[in-house]
């Protein structure tokens, strides 16, 4: 069983709309979580980190963490075609020595 | 500040050849990682290291070896290359839990023919 689960998509979103990405995790010891964006043929790029329950906003991105429900989400407001990419959710495991990555959600923003 | 540097960017190997993928970081990170990513698939952890002289296997270590003699460098050795090792290889580093996520290198695209 994969420890971090994401819907693989593709999530198709009209330009200007909100893209909503979800991630669940099984390790209750996980403390901090990250969202990476990966363009095709490129390496993952860190776009958001969240360490405590609640929301964290950075520009058009909002990350949400609910440790009781073991749920992490990412909202992308005013989606642009340049947001078309695969988004990876990751969390530090209880052992604290490596991140566990989800399989990624592919997002397509259509003009 | 270069971050994580991987060399080479591209390489074609013949079956049975060996090579070393280089990874260096200049952020004084203790933790370093090697992943492979096959087309359309997720990241798979090959090996990782939590400090100089310490290495550990990930999900897919077979066919690979690593060493960590310095904090800065974490080379990945492929012995007897096989077509199944055709992939993109990413190196990453981190300060560890509580200090953020990973910084990734730009990757090495390896083809074994």
């Amino acid at each position: 069983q994969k420890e971090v689960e994401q819907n693989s998509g593709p999530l198709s979103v009209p330009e200007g709309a909100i893209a909503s990405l979800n991630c669940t995790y099984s390790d209750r010891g996980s403390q901090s979580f990250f969202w990476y964006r990966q363009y095709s043929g490129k390496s993952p790029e860190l776009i958001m980190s969240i360490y405590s329950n609640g929301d964290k906003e950075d520009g058009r991105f909002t990350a949400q963490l609910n440790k009781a429900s073991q749920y992490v989400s990412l909202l992308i407001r005013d989606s642009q075609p340049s947001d078309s990419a695969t988004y990876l959710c990751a969390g530090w495991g209880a052992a604290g020595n490596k991140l566990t990555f989800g399989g990624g959600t592919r997002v397509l923003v259509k003009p | 500040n270069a971050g994580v540097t991987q060399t080479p960017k591209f390489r074609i190997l013949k079956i049975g050849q060996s090579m070393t993928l280089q990874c260096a970081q200049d952020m004084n990170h203790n933790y370093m990682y090697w992943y492979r990513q096959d087309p359309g698939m997720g990241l798979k952890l090959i090996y990782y290291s939590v400090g100089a002289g310490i290495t550990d296997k990930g999900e897919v270590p077979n066919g690979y070896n690593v060493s960590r003699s310095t904090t800065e460098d974490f080379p990945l050795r492929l012995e007897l290359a096989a077509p199944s090792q055709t992939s993109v290889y990413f190196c990453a580093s981190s300060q560890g839990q509580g200090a953020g996520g990973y910084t990734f290198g730009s990757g090495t695209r390896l083809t074994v023919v």
Side-chain angles (χ1 to χ4, degrees), chain A residues 28-66:
Chain A
R28 283 201 171 272
S30 295
Q31 295 298 313
S32 46
F33 296 87
F34 306 88
W35 284 97
Y36 286 82
R37 177 177 62 199
Q38 186 177 26
Y39 293 115
S40 181
K42 301 295 185 181
S43 60
E45 171 194 12
L46 181 65
I47 57 171
M48 288 290 286
S49 57
I50 187 163
Y51 300 95
S52 55
N53 282 327
D55 296 359
K56 178 182 177 183
E57 186 174 319
D58 184 358
R60 296 186 296 112
F61 298 104
T62 299
Q64 300 171 318
L65 173 59
N66 184 324

Side-chain angles (χ1 to χ4, degrees), chain A:
Chain A
Q1 180 188 359
K2 207 161 170 54
E3 295 175 15
V4 176
E5 298 273 3
Q6 295 181 254
N7 188 319
S8 61
L11 176 66
S12 186
V13 178
E15 184 175 358
I18 295 175
S20 178
L21 289 74
N22 301 316
C23 169
T24 58
Y25 61 94
S26 60
D27 186 348
R28 283 201 171 272
S30 295
Q31 295 298 313
S32 46
F33 296 87
F34 306 88
W35 284 97
Y36 286 82
R37 177 177 62 199
Q38 186 177 26
Y39 293 115
S40 181
K42 301 295 185 181
S43 60
E45 171 194 12
L46 181 65
I47 57 171
M48 288 290 286
S49 57
I50 187 163
Y51 300 95
S52 55
N53 282 327
D55 296 359
K56 178 182 177 183
E57 186 174 319
D58 184 358
R60 296 186 296 112
F61 298 104
T62 299
Q64 300 171 318
L65 173 59
N66 184 324
K67 292 185 180 180
S69 300
Q70 296 177 247
Y71 172 93
V72 191
S73 68
L74 179 71
L75 299 177
I76 307 173
R77 290 182 300 281
D78 188 24
S79 295
Q80 301 297 309
S82 59
D83 295 324
S84 296
T86 296
Y87 291 80
L88 303 171
C89 173
W92 281 104
N97 54 12
K98 58 184 180 295
L99 285 175
T100 299
F101 285 87
T105 297
R106 186 168 163 230
V107 172
L108 295 174
V109 181
K110 298 189 174 181

Side-chain angles (χ1 to χ4, degrees), chain B residues 64-100:
Chain B
Y64 307 94
N65 275 301
V66 293
S67 60
R68 184 94 183 273
S69 55
T70 67
T71 299
E72 294 78 20
D73 300 298
F74 191 39
L76 177 71
R77 178 86 178 156
L78 278 72
E79 304 283 0
L80 299 175
S84 60
Q85 292 178 305
T86 294
S87 191
V88 179
Y89 292 83
F90 292 110
C91 178
S93 73
S94 172
Q95 291 271 34
Q97 183 169 215

Side-chain angles (χ1 to χ4, degrees), chain B residues 1-6 22-33 49 51-52 68 70-74 91-95 103-105:
Chain B
N1 193 345
V4 179
T5 302
Q6 290 185 239
Q22 301 292 345
C23 177
Q25 53 92 9
D26 62 0
M27 298 171 285
N28 203 32
H29 286 172
N30 283 321
Y31 292 46
M32 295 187 75
Y33 308 85
S49 169
R68 184 94 183 273
T70 67
T71 299
E72 294 78 20
D73 300 298
F74 191 39
C91 178
S93 73
S94 172
Q95 291 271 34
T103 300
F104 282 89

Side-chain angles (χ1 to χ4, degrees), chain B residues 16 37 54 75:
Chain B
Q37 187 175 40
I54 306 169

Side-chain angles (χ1 to χ4, degrees), chain B residues 5-71:
Chain B
T5 302
Q6 290 185 239
T7 55
K9 293 193 184 305
F10 304 92
R11 183 75 186 266
I12 298 175
L13 276 183
K14 293 184 178 179
I15 294 171
Q17 288 185 321
S18 300
M19 76 164 293
T20 299
L21 281 66
Q22 301 292 345
C23 177
Q25 53 92 9
D26 62 0
M27 298 171 285
N28 203 32
H29 286 172
N30 283 321
Y31 292 46
M32 295 187 75
Y33 308 85
W34 275 106
Y35 287 86
R36 60 175 287 173
Q37 187 175 40
D38 299 334
M41 305 297 286
L43 297 167
K44 292 185 179 177
L45 182 63
I46 305 171
Y47 271 97
Y48 67 102
S49 169
V50 298
I54 306 169
T55 62
D56 217 336
K57 295 179 180 179
E59 308 169 64
V60 291
N62 292 343
Y64 307 94
N65 275 301
V66 293
S67 60
R68 184 94 183 273
S69 55
T70 67
T71 299

